[in-house]
């Protein structure tokens, strides 16, 4: 689809181009005032899911490569490692969803070891400049309230995404609810801080403070992957892309996988199982 604009848009386009060239390689560099063609998945906004995700995947000491040594470190820390066979690559993300302590420090600016993730999926995109870890509280089954150490748009980083915030902290263990010693989130909520969290709806930014949702546990039957929202849009790749240091998170519109023009795209919210937890994100597929 051709986008037509007047010279009044030149400064906006220059701002977007400069953001694309940002090689900062830190999560906080995504917290800019840029949203471009992000989907709205209901009429009211709010949180769609905030289920317990990866346990112990954020900050694996020494797991810095893709060789046999890093694979063994992953196994020693009960972290999944994919066998790619002949499709070997130097990109660690292709092998595992876990990251090392060095990567946590470099990308997120904090020192964490074997922390956990919860992907919080909003029906509307988050206004990135208002995003902070202090926007969220996680209630555990023990009654403890945890404030995350990290709140990030990675991997939901493209300009036409940004509905999912991944928070990181000590949220529990892998014991099934009902088992002695099991610790796990029971709810996730947004709270007031110095820069109140906002979503962007059809009429602009609105408050995202004061929303609470139950956090489901992936080891309980029925809490597996599922589509929880879907919509049909006229296809456009407007908003595809993010700062270039996130190149591996881009080019997922499906626009390059069809031989004839198609006017429709299918945007869906789904939960994907990597192992052993569930990760939620929005994607747009051309059909």
């Amino acid at each position: 689809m051709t986008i037509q604009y007047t010279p009044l848009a030149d400064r906006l386009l220059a701002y977007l181009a400069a953001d694309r060239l940002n090689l900062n390689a830190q999560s906080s560099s995504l917290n800019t005032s840029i949203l471009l063609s992000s989907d709205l998945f209901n009429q009211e906004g709010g949180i769609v899911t905030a289920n317990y995700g990866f346990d112990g995947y954020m900050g694996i000491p020494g797991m810095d490569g893709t060789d046999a040594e890093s694979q063994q470190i992953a196994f020693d820390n009960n972290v999944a490692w994919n066998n790619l066979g002949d499709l070997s690559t130097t990109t660690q993300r292709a092998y595992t969803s876990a990251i090392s302590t060095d990567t946590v420090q470099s990308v997120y600016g904090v020192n964490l070891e074997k922390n956990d993730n919860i992907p919080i999926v909003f029906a509307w995109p988050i206004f990135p400049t208002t995003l902070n870890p202090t926007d969220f509280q996680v209630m555990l089954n023990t009654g403890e309230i945890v404030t995350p150490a990290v709140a990030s748009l990675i991997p939901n980083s493209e300009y036409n995404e940004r509905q999912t915030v991944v928070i990181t902290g000590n949220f529990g263990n892998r014991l099934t609810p009902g088992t002695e010693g099991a610790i796990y989130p029971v709810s996730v909520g947004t709270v007031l801080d110095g820069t109140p969290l906002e979503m962007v709806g059809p009429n602009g930014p609105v408050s995202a403070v004061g929303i609470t949702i139950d956090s489901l546990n992936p080891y309980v039957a029925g809490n597996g992957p599922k589509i929880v929202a879907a919509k049909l849009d006229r296809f456009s790749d407007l908003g595809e892309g993010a700062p270039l240091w996130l190149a591996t998170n881009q080019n997922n519109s499906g626009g390059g996988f069809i031989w004839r023009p198609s006017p429709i795209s299918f945007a869906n919210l789904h939960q994907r199982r990597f192992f052993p937890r569930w990760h939620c994100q929005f994607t747009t597929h051309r059909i």
Side-chain angles (χ1 to χ4, degrees), residues 4 10 25 52 110-111 144 169 175 206 242 272 275:
Q4 297 182 341
D10 287 345
Y52 191 22
V110 294
N111 292 310
E144 181 183 359
L175 298 178
V206 299
R272 299 188 301 173
F275 186 88

Side-chain angles (χ1 to χ4, degrees), residues 48-72:
V48 181
T49 63
N51 298 335
Y52 191 22
F54 295 118
D55 173 87
Y57 268 51
M58 292 291 283
I60 305 301
M63 195 194 71
D64 295 312
T66 60
D67 55 10
E69 181 181 358
S70 287
Q71 180 189 50
Q72 188 59 53

Side-chain angles (χ1 to χ4, degrees), residues 119-141:
I120 305 174
V121 184
F122 289 83
W124 295 352
I126 290 300
F127 193 44
T129 59
T130 67
L131 178 62
N132 292 284
T134 50
D135 291 314
F136 304 96
Q137 286 187 346
V138 179
M139 174 70 77
L140 306 185
N141 65 308

Side-chain angles (χ1 to χ4, degrees), residues 185-206:
V186 294
S187 67
V188 176
T190 56
V191 296
L192 184 66
D193 69 353
T195 55
L197 186 66
E198 294 181 336
M199 302 175 288
V200 179
N203 298 311
V206 299

Side-chain angles (χ1 to χ4, degrees), residues 83-158:
N83 182 358
L84 301 182
D86 295 334
L87 300 177
S88 60
T89 174
T90 57
T91 302
Q92 189 183 75
R93 182 176 172 178
Y95 292 90
T96 180
S97 294
I99 61 176
S100 71
T101 50
D102 288 347
T103 301
V104 170
Q105 173 61 45
S106 173
V107 176
Y108 300 100
V110 294
N111 292 310
L112 299 177
E113 185 172 324
K114 300 173 72 171
N115 272 211
D116 318 320
N117 281 339
I118 297 175
I120 305 174
V121 184
F122 289 83
W124 295 352
I126 290 300
F127 193 44
T129 59
T130 67
L131 178 62
N132 292 284
T134 50
D135 291 314
F136 304 96
Q137 286 187 346
V138 179
M139 174 70 77
L140 306 185
N141 65 308
T142 60
E144 181 183 359
I145 296 176
V146 179
T147 298
V150 171
S152 174
L153 292 171
I154 298 173
N156 192 244
S157 56
E158 291 192 273

